[in-house]
Amino acid sequence: QVRELCLAELNYAASCGLRMQEEIKVEMRMVSLAIERARDGEVEVIPNHRPPPPTIAPGMPSNFRIMNSAAIQREQMAAGVFRPSHSLPTYTVEQWGEVEMHRMMEQSKAQAEAEAHRAAEDTDSDHEEVSERNRMKAIGWDEFVEGVNKGSGNTQR
């Protein structure tokens, strides 16, 4: 059976080769005829000359095209073939670093302004008001600590 299969494949390859040889002979005749006509000056040869596609509107840039809905749908489908299955990042690492740096600068600026405002309040008010404010802040913190059981934070159970 294997021998019969191999013989069949050889016969097929030989017939394909003969058929291709005949097609090549016809093509060679056509090429030689075209070369003779070009030498005689009967035919003007313009290599790779194609007129612009009719979808380009006159007076518009070359990337502007008028397309029917089927062509638009075909292009959208072709563009979506090799699209990744996950959403791509919208920032590069450098851009994200710049955003974070800007955010950090704004935060430090706001913190410095708040500290300056607190310092200005402390200098404007007398010592008793400042100490009373600090005492009330400490009392609020103590009440918070008493209200929350120790170890009841973010734990996995």
Side-chain angles (χ1 to χ4, degrees):
Q1 291 178 346
V2 174
R3 180 185 164 122
E4 291 175 7
L5 179 64
C6 289
L7 287 174
E9 285 182 16
L10 285 173
N11 283 335
Y12 177 72
S15 65
C16 285
L18 290 173
R19 202 171 328 124
M20 292 293 279
Q21 187 177 12
E22 292 172 6
E23 290 175 5
I24 289 173
K25 285 180 183 177
V26 170
E27 274 190 50
M28 290 301 292
R29 282 188 227 133
M30 289 172 51
V31 169
S32 63
L33 183 63
I35 290 173
E36 287 176 17
R37 286 187 176 175
R39 283 184 193 154
D40 295 340
E42 294 178 22
V43 178
E44 181 181 343
V45 179
I46 302 173
N48 296 332
H49 179 268
R50 293 184 183 174
T55 57
I56 297 175
M60 298 300 285
S62 62
N63 62 352
F64 180 81
R65 297 184 306 189
I66 301 171
M67 303 171 73
N68 60 13
S69 61
I72 292 171
Q73 186 178 9
R74 189 178 323 116
E75 277 196 5
Q76 288 174 346
M77 290 176 71
V81 170
F82 295 109
R83 189 179 68 227
S85 60
H86 61 283
S87 61
L88 295 174
T90 55
Y91 289 117
T92 64
V93 174
E94 292 83 14
Q95 289 172 335
W96 183 252
E98 289 174 8
V99 167
E100 284 295 315
M101 182 63 93
H102 182 68
R103 190 177 300 154
M104 186 177 63
M105 299 271 277
E106 286 179 355
Q107 186 178 8
S108 63
K109 182 180 175 183
Q111 189 175 10
E113 288 175 359
E115 288 177 8
H117 182 67
R118 260 189 248 116
E121 281 183 357
D122 290 347
T123 57
D124 289 345
S125 59
D126 61 352
H127 185 63
E128 289 179 10
E129 288 180 19
V130 173
S131 62
E132 182 65 24
R133 192 178 324 124
N134 289 339
R135 189 177 73 78
M136 292 304 292
K137 185 177 177 184
I139 290 172
W141 178 252
D142 288 339
E143 289 175 358
F144 171 76
V145 170
E146 289 172 4
V148 177
N149 295 330
K150 187 171 185 177
S152 65
N154 296 332
T155 59
Q156 295 179 355
R157 294 181 190 195

